[in-house]
């Protein structure tokens, strides 16, 4: 990051943590317009920031440092035996397509996914306005990786495009196909797209070891964890 350019950061009020019920969370939020472009945002990603809609933020919790940004080293990615089985299954049963526009059927799939998989979370009940403010972004190019089973859309991975990386924002899928491991399949499709486009990293967001819904990202190796303000190989 160009340290000569000052960045204004805001600090949110403490709120109950969405992932660890016994904790409160606070966020550092980028306030300057200069942050809202692919080149500068990629530098913020490398400092542990993330986006939700148009907002750029990083956890800043005084009593907890359990949210660990994780990025996959895409050119070196080596799937495990279990991941290879999922890749082979997907090749034989699904078709992958790409879109750069939001389609109406995305929200229909998202709605079903949230109602079945996350009806105990903060995104329930699903709402079109909340969905758009969470996933979409006015200042970034986004690729929507689609997974189709014959003529039925069964998964979408919302993926930000950056000069030297991609960032996995959110994946939602048809709960009827959840036994196929669609979440893992979509991450590996994102890695595959990174490799095709010669992107160095796939940012997967925060690994939270103590949260069952957020402790799966370290299965994609090799990867790096951002801790104590630098990236460590894992």
């Amino acid at each position: 990051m160009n340290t000569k350019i000052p960045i204004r950061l805001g600090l949110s009020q403490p709120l109950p943590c969405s992932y660890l019920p016994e904790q409160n969370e606070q966020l550092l939020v980028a306030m300057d317009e200069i942050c809202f472009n692919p080149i500068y945002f990629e530098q913020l990603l490398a400092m542990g920031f993330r986006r939700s809609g148009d907002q750029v933020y990083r956890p800043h919790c005084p009593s907890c440092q359990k949210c660990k940004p994780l990025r996959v080293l895409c050119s070196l990615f080596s799937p495990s035996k279990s991941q290879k089985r999922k890749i082979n299954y997907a090749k034989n049963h699904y078709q992958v397509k790409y879109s750069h526009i939001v389609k109406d059927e995305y929200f229909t799939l998202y709605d079903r996914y949230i109602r079945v998989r996350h009806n105990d979370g903060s995104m329930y009940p699903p709402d079109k306005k909340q969905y758009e403010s969470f996933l979409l972004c006015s200042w970034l190019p986004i690729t929507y990786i689609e997974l189709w089973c014959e003529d039925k859309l069964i998964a979408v991975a919302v993926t930000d495009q950056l000069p030297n990386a991609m960032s996995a924002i959110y994946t939602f899928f048809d709960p009827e196909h959840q036994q196929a491991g669609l979440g893992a399949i979509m991450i590996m499709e994102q890695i595959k797209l990174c490799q095709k486009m010669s992107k160095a990293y796939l940012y997967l967001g925060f690994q939270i070891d103590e949260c069952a819904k957020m402790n799966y990202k370290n299965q994609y190796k090799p990867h790096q964890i951002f801790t104590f303000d630098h990236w460590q190989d894992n």
Side-chain angles (χ1 to χ4, degrees):
M1 173 171 295
N2 187 344
T3 56
K4 294 181 180 180
I5 302 176
I7 302 172
R8 292 184 300 119
L9 297 173
L11 182 63
S12 71
Q13 294 294 319
L15 294 171
C17 180
S18 302
Y19 304 112
L20 301 173
E22 72 279 9
Q23 299 286 349
N24 286 331
E25 68 176 19
Q26 285 187 277
L27 303 175
L28 280 178
V29 182
M31 306 293 289
D32 285 330
E33 289 293 326
I34 193 173
C35 300
F36 307 137
N37 67 77
I39 294 174
Y40 208 85
F41 176 59
E42 185 168 24
Q43 297 178 53
L44 290 172
L45 269 177
M47 296 179 66
F49 282 78
R50 188 151 176 80
R51 82 157 178 91
S52 176
D54 285 335
Q55 186 180 75
V56 177
Y57 71 95
R58 186 173 82 172
H60 187 77
C61 308
S63 62
C64 178
Q65 288 80 44
K66 293 179 180 178
C67 290
K68 301 173 182 176
L70 184 150
R71 66 186 185 186
V72 180
L73 305 176
C74 294
S75 66
L76 302 177
F77 172 68
S78 179
S80 66
K81 289 182 180 180
S82 173
Q83 290 166 348
K84 286 179 181 178
R85 286 195 294 270
K86 289 182 174 67
I87 291 170
N88 290 331
Y89 184 87
K91 285 180 180 178
N92 293 324
H93 292 83
Y94 306 134
Q95 300 82 45
V96 177
K97 300 179 183 180
Y98 304 101
S99 176
H100 300 288
I101 60 171
V102 183
K103 299 178 181 178
D104 292 341
E105 55 261 49
Y106 291 174
F107 180 71
T108 302
L109 183 61
Y110 173 88
D111 181 273
R112 189 158 64 249
Y113 173 78
I114 296 298
R115 290 184 184 278
V116 174
R117 298 269 300 188
H118 295 288
N119 54 23
D120 60 344
S122 60
M123 292 187 291
Y124 182 86
D127 173 83
K128 185 73 174 289
K129 185 176 180 180
Q130 181 272 342
Y131 151 85
E132 292 176 345
S133 66
F134 166 45
L135 294 179
L136 308 187
C137 184
S138 63
W139 46 267
L140 271 179
I142 301 173
T143 296
Y144 303 93
I145 303 176
E146 305 172 350
L147 201 66
W148 291 78
C149 183
E150 297 179 349
D151 60 349
K152 183 179 182 181
L153 177 67
I154 62 169
V156 176
V158 181
T159 313
D160 287 349
Q161 297 284 342
L162 303 158
N164 194 46
M166 295 185 185
S167 180
I169 298 303
Y170 199 67
T171 292
F172 47 95
F173 54 80
D174 188 335
E176 292 182 6
H177 293 258
Q178 61 187 7
Q179 298 303 320
L182 295 186
I185 289 170
M186 297 308 278
I187 288 177
M188 289 183 287
E189 286 296 334
Q190 290 172 315
I191 294 172
K192 182 179 177 181
L193 184 58
C194 284
Q195 293 170 337
K196 283 183 178 180
M197 299 183 70
S198 299
K199 307 289 188 182
Y201 308 113
L202 174 64
Y203 287 86
L204 288 181
F206 303 114
Q207 166 76 14
I208 307 174
D209 294 338
E210 292 81 1
C211 177
K213 293 181 179 179
M214 297 288 285
N215 65 0
Y216 61 89
K217 299 172 184 179
N218 59 11
Q219 300 172 19
Y220 303 89
K221 299 180 179 180
H223 62 257
Q224 295 177 325
I225 296 285
F226 188 75
T227 182
F228 300 114
D229 286 334
H230 69 278
W231 292 95
Q232 296 182 344
D233 292 335
N234 276 266

